[in-house]
Amino acid sequence: MSRDRVERRLYPAYFSLGGNLGAPVQGTLDSLAALRASGKPVAEYHTPVYRRMVELVVDGSLSVVELAGYLGLPVSVTLVLAEHLVTDGQLKATVPIPDALASSDGRPSLAVLKEVLNGLRTLVAA
């Protein structure tokens, strides 16, 4: 009995950054930030991964986590790529609503936890 082989990337994920990181990025993006294309063309020095990121958000927006899934890259690498594209002007970022992420003490808000619990109960009942 043979199993389907999963094709692995033959190079480390950080190679997607292209080697030339340029100026350091600010690190202000969140993994849940929504990214959309700005319409500015991709520069010559951007790697194919940068170009693919812009292609994925031309017709809408995706979060950094979703982009990481589509690209098959770690979220940390995708965050760096996204920061570069936002800094260069090819992508626009919208930060998530703070109330949906955490309360003032940094923990998830009670309203969000209740919604998650209701969703889980619905899944179990189905």
Side-chain angles (χ1 to χ4, degrees), residues 14-36:
Y14 59 81
F15 280 7
S16 301
L17 300 173
N20 182 7
L21 299 179
V25 292
Q26 298 167 351
T28 57
L29 276 185
D30 186 83
S31 59
L32 296 178
L35 300 171
R36 63 190 184 290

Side-chain angles (χ1 to χ4, degrees), residues 4 16 22 24 26 35 42 51-52 59 61 66 74 77 80 97 109 116 122:
D4 292 332
S16 301
Q26 298 167 351
L35 300 171
V42 181
R51 294 175 192 280
R52 182 68 181 136
D59 295 328
S61 64
E66 291 171 314
V77 172
V80 173
I97 301 168
S109 68
V116 170
T122 303

Side-chain angles (χ1 to χ4, degrees), residues 33-124:
L35 300 171
R36 63 190 184 290
S38 67
K40 184 177 177 183
V42 181
E44 290 179 11
Y45 58 85
H46 285 129
T47 64
V49 176
Y50 285 104
R51 294 175 192 280
R52 182 68 181 136
M53 281 183 74
V54 174
E55 288 172 7
L56 286 169
V57 296
V58 164
D59 295 328
S61 64
L62 291 172
S63 70
V64 175
V65 173
E66 291 171 314
L67 279 172
Y70 282 118
L71 296 170
L73 293 172
V75 175
S76 58
V77 172
T78 308
L79 272 169
V80 173
L81 293 168
E83 284 278 355
H84 287 170
L85 288 171
V86 168
T87 302
D88 290 349
Q90 282 82 20
L91 293 182
K92 293 182 180 180
T94 306
V95 295
I97 301 168
D99 290 343
L101 294 178
S103 60
S104 61
D105 61 357
R107 295 170 35 188
S109 68
L110 186 58
V112 170
L113 291 175
K114 285 181 181 179
E115 287 296 322
V116 170
L117 185 59
N118 289 338
L120 290 172
R121 286 181 180 147
T122 303
L123 287 173
V124 169

